[in-house]
Amino acid sequence: MKGLSSATGYEFKNRALLSEALTHSSLLNQEKGLSSNEKLEFLGDAVLELIITRHLYFLLPEKPEGELTRIRASIVCERSLAEIAAGWNLGKYIRMSRGEEMTGGRQRASLLADAVEAYIAAVYLDSGIEECEKLILTHFSKIIDMASADEIFMDHKTRLQELLQENGEADIKYELIKSEGPPHRRKFFSRVCAGEIVMGQGEGMTRKESEQAAARNALSKMVVRKEDD
């Protein structure tokens, strides 16, 4: 793991945390006694959002809450996390089943994004919030700068929210329709609604991915309607 430590600039004291952060759930069916990185991902998502939120609060004091929310969403989205993972060459180090690897798991954006969140959580548990903040602000600095200057990709959910709220508040919600398949290859199906109206549906290998797909589907329908008008 020396290559990963060199890439991230962090050396773990408790290497068991690092091992867990790099263990994909697909491996659990092959090796007993392992813990996947799913719970660490849950924690890392919250830690990342807190640190980015705090940083933006002081970095952009003139921005209103809505603008800060939009900027934060473009920083912590799947695409940005996958970009961080690529910079660390993280896919090389993730432990996964042969089947997952054969189907492109080491390059899958959703899997890599989840692993980055798990890694952040592991650093937080290993050394605390200050070391974690140092890691995040060092490696997300370019993305933060681009997002603050409106030069970064905006995820579909954020774009849909902005469009629907142009004429006032909109009750936007994402609902999981169903999930199917084995735990290591589960597929999720979601829909996005504005009030009681179903705007779009989508599927993905994670719930987040399916929600992004649903938002993308809703946006494509909105474009078609505008062209028809």
Side-chain angles (χ1 to χ4, degrees):
M1 296 298 178
K2 289 183 179 179
L4 182 57
S5 295
S6 176
T8 65
Y10 183 79
E11 185 75 35
F12 275 86
K13 298 186 286 290
N14 182 355
R15 296 183 66 82
L17 284 169
L18 174 60
S19 178
E20 183 177 338
L22 298 177
T23 301
H24 186 257
S25 59
S26 63
L27 196 62
L28 271 57
N29 292 331
Q30 294 182 197
E31 298 185 28
K32 303 299 181 182
L34 295 177
S35 295
S36 77
N37 62 8
E38 290 179 346
K39 285 184 68 176
L40 284 176
E41 174 206 339
F42 168 76
L43 175 60
D45 178 65
V47 172
L48 174 62
E49 186 163 304
L50 171 62
I51 290 174
I52 293 298
T53 299
R54 183 181 185 278
H55 182 69
L56 292 177
Y57 180 85
F58 292 106
L59 178 68
L60 304 169
E62 77 287 354
K63 296 285 187 181
E65 181 268 341
E67 278 288 289
L68 291 173
T69 299
R70 181 181 62 80
I71 293 170
R72 181 184 64 193
S74 65
I75 295 170
V76 301
C77 69
E78 182 179 285
R79 178 170 174 173
S80 295
L81 290 167
E83 184 178 322
I84 296 296
W88 293 350
N89 198 17
L90 191 59
K92 173 183 177 181
Y93 303 99
I94 299 174
R95 302 192 299 168
M96 62 183 70
S97 69
R98 180 66 174 167
E100 186 69 34
E101 184 172 10
M102 291 295 290
T103 56
R106 296 196 185 278
Q107 294 79 42
R108 186 173 296 117
S110 59
L111 189 154
L112 293 172
D114 290 345
V116 171
E117 290 178 335
Y119 187 91
I120 287 170
V123 172
Y124 170 71
L125 294 175
D126 195 52
S127 292
I129 194 70
E130 290 185 3
E131 195 66 35
C132 198
E133 183 175 36
K134 177 182 175 183
L135 173 84
I136 290 170
L137 296 185
T138 296
H139 292 280
F140 281 77
S141 60
K142 181 180 177 181
I143 294 172
I144 291 171
D145 290 343
M146 292 178 66
S148 300
D150 285 328
E151 297 174 354
I152 198 171
F153 160 85
M154 183 176 294
D155 65 79
H156 301 299
K157 291 176 68 174
T158 301
R159 181 57 181 156
L160 179 63
Q161 179 177 324
E162 287 193 338
L163 288 177
L164 291 176
Q165 292 182 341
E166 281 182 352
N167 298 318
E169 290 295 322
D171 180 20
I172 306 166
K173 58 185 177 183
Y174 290 84
E175 299 174 345
L176 180 66
I177 302 171
K178 65 177 181 177
S179 61
E180 59 184 34
H184 63 287
R185 294 294 298 162
R186 191 169 297 279
K187 184 176 287 188
F188 296 83
F189 299 81
S190 295
R191 65 186 177 193
V192 56
C193 303
E196 299 302 316
I197 302 173
V198 177
M199 302 295 295
Q201 299 186 44
E203 63 184 69
M205 300 307 294
T206 67
R207 185 166 180 171
K208 290 180 182 178
E209 196 173 283
S210 70
E211 290 177 354
Q212 285 286 347
R216 182 172 62 247
N217 179 239
L219 287 168
S220 66
K221 291 179 179 179
M222 292 173 72
V223 170
V224 170
R225 283 197 294 269
K226 287 184 177 181
E227 290 177 348
D228 290 343
D229 294 341

